[in-house]
Amino acid sequence: MLNQKEILSTIEMIDQQHLDIRTITMGISLLSCCDPDPERACGKIYEKICRYAEKLVKTGRDIEGEFGIPIVNKRISVTPMAMVAGASETEDCVPFAVALDRAAKTCGVDFIGGYSALVQKGMTAADRKLIRSIPEALARTELVCASVNVGSTRAGINMDAAALMGRIVKETAGATADREGLGCAKLVVFCNAVEDNPFMAGAFHGPGEAEKVINVGVSGPGVVHHALQAVKGQPFDVVAETVKKTAFRITRMGQLVAQEASRRLDTPFGIVDLSLAPTPAVGDSVARILEEMGLETCGTHGTTAALALLNDAVKKGGVMASSSVGGLSGAFIPVSEDEGMIAAARSGTLCLDKLEAMTCVCSVGLDMIAIPGDTPAETIAAIIADEAAIGMVNNKTTAVRLLPSPGKTVGDTVEMGGLLGSAPVMPVHGESSADFIARGGRIPAPLHSLRN
């Protein structure tokens, strides 16, 4: 039974510390929509999404109103579209993105993810067609998010796919140049992508998932920051325990909302993703949590160790609170979406190389980082390969979401608005990686992938 103190504490977390349900995401399988006729396939896709998700937004709003818990986003994820579009006799995949966008708008959701391809070991003709359509697809739609998985611990790194994605990121920036390259904010390149991630832009409904499912993402950097203020100067053992206890409470709230949404939508409950996903709002920053541990500025020496502690403690607290913790779960470090990260990047303390080191111990990777618009595609591909290598060797999910905004250079600012925030353009190494990327082929999986 909850006592009065716990109830008041939860109210304070929501009201003053930015605790929220970041997203309720309905995953929908579109495998039944495959059709040789692309027009019929798109019609089936639109109809099925609208039929399954017609009450998603209303249900989220009803739960928000009844429980008093903010639910920031309602989203949909679908089967990787290369699998669905591959059954159609067409060279143009863009209509599939348009169908997704139209369905998302009809349902009233914030984003729809799954314009995706899984190419960690090789690319089919359908994968190539979909990947090459991404720049136009993201330019012509508003709510569609795309992702491509180029590596895994079991398969190694598909360097042909990494090279192709370097070019695709550049082309996507150019196709949305009138919006400061906004399309790149909806495009993620993964290693070890997970099938039940509710967070955009990397959400897709994995082929191993059920017909439909409800996944919930919870976020509370402000709550963790506030909790650590009470243990200032105490040993790291105490810090870890404090984070674990806080993560437990946050996850329990997410479990409650997920089960309620599952019941009302008559859809199986999948997972709760407890990820400290920051926003540009003051008091909702992962960087400020790390600084609360004793760092003068995020990015200085000690940052990676602090982030490792935070990520591990968040996962441990979440696992104790729910048997269905999944997705990415941990700490995100998206530069443009974190007020403290933005400040550290502007001061020069936080650089791309330090962020790469931090991705070894965080939940995702190089996220929402603005780089000069004239960065070569080969350099972008090399950054993708570096990050994929970290994921492959460490058997963890890593990702790259870079913003090479056309016309922008180091010192400029890319303005995304809303939850996407703004980011100072950060320098990349000027020395060429072109010959490295031109080799192509596949970087083999590490020895520890042989676990059969």
Side-chain angles (χ1 to χ4, degrees):
M1 181 70 70
L2 290 174
N3 59 40
Q4 185 181 36
K5 181 179 179 181
E6 289 172 324
I7 293 171
L8 291 174
S9 175
T10 302
I11 292 172
E12 183 183 11
M13 287 160 63
I14 293 170
D15 189 45
Q16 299 177 26
Q17 299 165 24
H18 302 279
L19 176 62
D20 59 48
I21 302 296
R22 188 56 49 88
T23 178
I24 292 180
T25 301
M26 176 179 280
I28 301 173
S29 172
L30 297 182
L31 292 176
S32 63
C33 300
C34 293
D35 196 295
D37 185 321
E39 188 172 340
R40 281 204 302 265
C42 288
K44 290 179 182 179
I45 289 168
Y46 175 81
E47 186 277 330
K48 186 171 187 179
I49 292 172
C50 292
R51 175 162 45 90
Y52 277 12
E54 63 177 343
K55 297 179 181 178
L56 176 63
V57 172
K58 181 182 183 303
T59 300
R61 288 173 178 164
D62 289 346
I63 294 172
E64 184 176 22
E66 291 174 32
F67 287 73
I69 300 171
I71 301 175
V72 180
N73 288 292
K74 295 82 179 174
R75 298 163 172 170
I76 297 168
S77 63
V78 299
T79 306
M81 191 50 56
M83 295 182 177
V84 182
S88 297
E89 298 169 359
T90 179
E91 293 298 315
D92 185 9
C93 290
V94 174
F96 291 89
V98 173
L100 292 177
D101 197 53
R102 192 161 63 94
K105 289 177 178 176
T106 299
C107 294
V109 296
D110 300 281
F111 288 108
I112 185 166
Y115 197 73
S116 308
L118 309 179
V119 296
Q120 56 268 23
K121 201 169 183 181
M123 287 185 278
T124 65
D127 292 327
R128 289 184 184 276
K129 284 188 287 188
L130 183 126
I131 290 172
R132 287 173 175 153
S133 74
I134 286 174
E136 182 182 353
L138 296 184
R140 287 181 54 185
T141 60
E142 295 179 34
L143 306 180
V144 173
C145 293
S147 60
V148 177
N149 192 68
V150 301
S152 73
T153 298
R154 293 287 295 188
I157 303 171
N158 183 344
M159 289 300 292
D160 293 321
L164 176 57
M165 288 311 300
R167 298 193 295 273
I168 293 299
V169 170
K170 283 280 288 187
E171 291 172 18
T172 302
T176 54
D178 58 328
R179 288 161 279 171
E180 297 210 86
L182 180 62
C184 292
K186 299 186 292 175
L187 172 59
V188 183
V189 186
F190 275 117
C191 176
N192 288 323
V194 296
E195 298 189 0
D196 56 6
N197 167 27
F199 284 97
M200 299 297 171
F204 63 87
H205 187 68
E209 292 286 312
E211 177 72 7
K212 59 178 178 174
V213 70
I214 287 292
N215 296 320
V216 167
V218 188
S219 183
V223 179
V224 175
H225 183 214
H226 179 81
L228 290 184
Q229 290 174 342
V231 295
K232 193 179 294 290
Q234 297 193 38
F236 284 114
D237 315 71
V238 176
V239 172
E241 285 300 312
T242 302
V243 174
K244 281 167 54 181
K245 291 176 182 177
T246 306
F248 178 90
R249 295 166 64 194
I250 295 171
T251 307
R252 292 300 286 177
M253 186 187 76
Q255 174 98 352
L256 170 69
V257 170
Q259 290 178 329
E260 188 65 20
S262 170
R263 182 185 67 80
R264 296 188 187 196
L265 291 165
D266 191 27
T267 299
F269 163 43
I271 57 96
V272 175
D273 185 324
L274 171 60
S275 290
L276 300 184
T279 70
V282 174
D284 200 26
S285 163
V286 169
R288 300 305 185 195
I289 296 175
L290 305 180
E291 291 168 0
E292 184 61 36
M293 293 186 196
L295 304 173
E296 183 176 351
T297 304
C298 177
T300 192
H301 305 298
T303 299
T304 306
L307 183 58
L309 181 154
L310 175 65
N311 206 58
D312 179 67
V314 165
K315 290 178 184 290
K316 287 175 178 173
V319 167
M320 289 298 293
S322 171
S323 60
S324 300
V325 170
L328 299 170
S329 288
F332 289 2
I333 52 171
V335 174
S336 80
E337 299 174 7
D338 187 307
E339 166 268 326
M341 295 280 179
I342 294 169
R346 284 203 173 115
S347 72
T349 306
L350 188 63
C351 63
L352 195 59
D353 289 342
K354 185 61 177 181
L355 282 163
E356 184 179 292
M358 293 165 66
T359 65
C360 296
V361 298
C362 79
S363 281
V364 194
L366 296 172
D367 197 14
M368 292 299 286
I369 298 171
I371 60 175
D374 61 359
T375 302
E378 294 83 4
T379 298
I380 295 173
I383 293 171
I384 291 170
D386 280 345
E387 196 59 29
I390 290 172
M392 175 186 71
V393 171
N394 290 287
N395 196 25
K396 71 183 292 292
T397 302
T398 52
V400 173
R401 187 162 47 149
L402 297 178
L403 313 171
S405 188
K408 298 286 186 177
T409 188
V410 175
D412 293 339
T413 298
V414 177
E415 297 285 350
M416 296 287 161
L419 287 176
L420 297 176
S422 64
V425 177
M426 302 174 71
V428 300
H429 291 291
E431 293 76 16
S432 176
S433 306
D435 289 346
F436 173 77
I437 294 300
R439 287 178 178 270
R442 184 158 58 94
I443 293 179
L447 182 61
H448 62 253
S449 69
L450 301 176
R451 294 183 174 180
N452 290 350

